[in-house]
Amino acid sequence: MKKNSIQYMRSIIMIGSLIFLTCNTKEDNVVRAAQVPYYGKFHQVPLREIKPKGWLKQYLINQRNGLTGNLEEAGYPFNEAGWGKKVKDSSSWWPYEQTGYWIDGMLTTGYLLNDDFLIDKAKSKIYPVLEKTDADHFIGPSYLKKKKNKHRWVHTVYFRALMREYTATKNPMILDKMKSFYLHQNEENFHEIRDQLNIENILWLYQRTQDSLLYNLATSIYDKMNYQNFIDRPVTAESFLDTMPIYEHGVTYNEAAKLGAIMYLNNGDRKYLEPSIAAYQKIDKYYMMVDGVNVSSEHLRTPVHALQTHETCDIADFSWSLGYLLMATGDVSYADKIEKAMFNAAPGAVTSDFKALQYLSGPNQVILDSTSNHNKFFKANTAMMFGPNQFTECCPANVNRIMPNYISRLWMKDNKGGIAAVMFGPSEWSGEIKDTRVTIKERTRYPFSDEITFEFVPDTPIDFSFTFRIPGWCKSPQVKINGVVSEDTFEPGSYYSIKRNFIDGDKITLSLPQKAQLSNWPNGGVAIERGPLVYALKIDEEWKALEPDKINPRSTTSFPAYHVTAKSDWNYALALQDDELENQIEVIQEKWNSNPWSTNTAPITIKIPAKKINNWKIINKDTVFYAMNVPIQDNGKTVWRERSDFKKNGNFSFTPPLPTNDDIQENDNEKEMITLIPYGSAKLRITIFPRLPYKND
C-alpha cells in the first residue's frame, strides 16, 4: 500500500530523533527548544494583554448583547449547526464555514471583554469537538473528509477560533489535536483555491511547535498552488504580480492574497512577500472604494462608481489579511488602510445596536428595503436591507470578527522586544518587558479626536522602546513627552520609537491634526475625507421593523429586519469654490457619547455648502434583469460563472447613479449649508456627491 508522503517523512524523523536522544546533551536540549525564526517587523501580543476602553469597549458590549451573543436568533445554521453536531444539510461544508466565523468572533469578543457568557458559549463549540476526534485524527464531522474540494476550507475558519483559544489558555491539547490533524492529512486535500488557506493555521502551529514537517507541508502547498498546478482563477502569485484588472470573488481574493506574506513571516524570502504586496496594490489601483474596502458584489468590479458595494465579509477579510502585511513589512500604509476600513465600512454596514447588518453596503444608498439592491448581482433582492440574516449566512457570522480582530492588533511587539501602538483606539496594554510588568493606557476618542495620550505604569522603572505610528494622512503631527513638545521630526507615514527609562506616570501625547480634503471619483463624483474618517450626508432615517414573513424568515421581534427610508432631502450637489476646502466648511464637535455610530449620536459634524438637484430622484422600475452565479460544465469540470440575463417583475426602488451634467447645471435652487456626519454613523447616505460648476454668486 502506498504511504502518505508526510506520514512517511514523519516516521523517518521520529526514528532519527529516538537515535539522537540516546546521546544528546543538556546543551542540545537548549538548542532544540529555541524558537523558529520569525522575519516580521511586528508580531501580535497575547489577546488577554489588551483591554478595549471607551467607544471600542461599548462597541463590543453591543456585539455581546446583539448578534455576537445571540446569533441563533438569525436562524439556520446558527440555531442548529455547530462543529461536531449533525446539521440539516448533512452533505454540505457550508454551515461549518459560517459557524466557524461566529465561534471565532464570539470567543475573541469574550476574551477582550472578559465575559464568561461569550467565552463559555464559544468553548461549548470547541472542546466537545476536540474530545471526539476520529481515530484518524480528523477534526469535525466525518462526511467532510469524503471529498477533497472545499471541505478543508472550513477548518481554516474554525481553527482560527482554536488558535485564539490557545493564545488565551495555552491548553496543549489544542496544539496536539491540530498538529495531528494536519500531519495525518493527504496534502492533496489542500490543493484547491480555498483549501490552501490552511497555510495560515499550519504556519501558526509551526511557530509554536517547531515541527519542521508543518513548515514543509505549508511550503509544498503554497508552491504547488502558486507555481506548479494550473489554476483557472486569478489568485496565484503570478496573477497577483500581473498589473491588469481581473474578475474574482472578493473574499477569495483577500483570503488568498495574504498567504505570501504569511510565508514570508516564516522564511524571510521576498519571493513570497512580493505577490502579496502586488495583490493589494492592484486593489488600490482598480477596486478601492471610498469607505476603505474593495468592491465585491460579490466579485471585484470596475469602475468604482458611487453605486458599487462590497460584502460585509470583505470588510473582515480585507482588514485581517492586511494585518499580516503590516506585520511582515512594518509599512504604515497598511495600518492606515485598516483604520479606514474599521472607522467607515465596518460600522457603516451594521446597526449601532449590532442586531442587524447589510450583506452588501456602499457609499450611496438612500433606500434600503426588500427590493432595493441596486447591484447587478441579484438586483432587486434583500441583499442591501438591514436584518440579522437577510441573504447569505457568511456575513452575519463574519461581521462578528471585524472589530474584535482590529482591537486584537492595536498593540504589537517589535522584533527587538519593544512595544508598539501600531493602530489607535481607546485601550490598555499590560504585559511583560524584561521580566517587568508594564501597563500602557491609551486615552483617546480617536478617530473623533486628534489627540492620543499614552500613560505608562511600570511596576518599576524600566528602559525599553515604545513605538507609535504617524499616519500618512497627517502632515503636521506633534509629540509631547511629559508635557514638553519634542523637537524631533516626525515624518508622515512612519513609525517612530522613543527609547527611555519609563517610570510610573510618564505620558506621551500625540497630536494628529485632521484636515478635510476632496477625493475624486468616476462620473464627476467627489467625497469629503478628514483624517481616517469619510463623511456622508446626514439623512433623517425612518426605520420600520418588519414582522417575520416569507421575505424575512430569519428574523425575530427582538432581532428584526428593517425597511429604511429617507424623511429628508438627499439629492444635493456640493457647491464648492476652487480654493482651500477648509475655508468653506465648518467642523463641529457635538456632545460626546460612547456609542457614536448612529445618525443621531454622531460626535462630529461638518457643515458644507450645497444645492439641491431636482431631477436626481429614486429610480422606480417594474422589470429588472439581474445576475447570479450558476454552475456550468467546462471540459468536464463544474465551474461557477455569472449570468446576467435573469428577469424579474415587481415593484422596485433603487438609489440612482450620480446625475448628469445637464441635471446638475439646470437648477436655480438657493445655496444652503448641509450637514455631513461620519460614514459609519450614517446608514442611509450620500457619500460621493455631484459637484456644481463654480460660479461667482
Side-chain angles (χ1 to χ4, degrees), residues 538-662:
K538 181 178 182 181
I539 300 173
D540 291 338
E541 301 166 353
E542 182 172 10
W543 291 71
K544 180 182 178 182
L546 307 176
E547 293 294 328
D549 57 19
K550 290 182 179 180
I551 297 176
N552 308 289
R554 296 180 296 189
S555 61
T556 66
T557 55
S558 299
F559 288 77
Y562 295 93
H563 282 179
V564 191
T565 53
K567 294 193 298 180
S568 61
D569 294 330
W570 51 265
N571 48 337
Y572 287 97
L574 299 186
L576 299 171
Q577 300 177 10
D578 292 330
D579 55 3
E580 287 293 320
L581 179 62
E582 289 280 335
N583 299 330
Q584 302 171 69
I585 67 171
E586 180 184 4
V587 180
I588 303 170
Q589 295 289 338
E590 306 289 353
K591 183 178 179 181
W592 174 255
N593 68 89
S594 61
N595 192 19
W597 299 113
S598 73
T599 303
N600 297 323
T601 60
I604 188 169
T605 59
I606 291 177
K607 300 289 186 180
I608 191 167
K611 286 187 179 182
K612 194 182 303 181
I613 307 299
N614 296 332
N615 291 333
W616 193 21
K617 300 177 181 179
I618 285 176
I619 295 174
N620 296 300
K621 286 185 174 292
D622 54 18
T623 301
V624 297
F625 288 89
Y626 65 97
M628 62 182 291
N629 292 327
V630 295
I632 62 173
Q633 292 296 311
D634 184 1
N635 293 325
K637 180 181 178 182
T638 300
V639 295
W640 290 82
R641 295 285 185 266
E642 187 175 86
R643 279 180 50 189
S644 302
D645 56 348
F646 294 93
K647 183 178 179 180
K648 183 186 298 186
N649 296 319
N651 297 311
F652 313 112
S653 300
F654 305 115
T655 300
L658 294 181
T660 66
N661 287 334
D662 289 342

Side-chain angles (χ1 to χ4, degrees), residues 524-535:
V526 293
I528 304 297
E529 304 186 39
R530 186 172 179 271
L533 291 176
V534 178
Y535 285 80

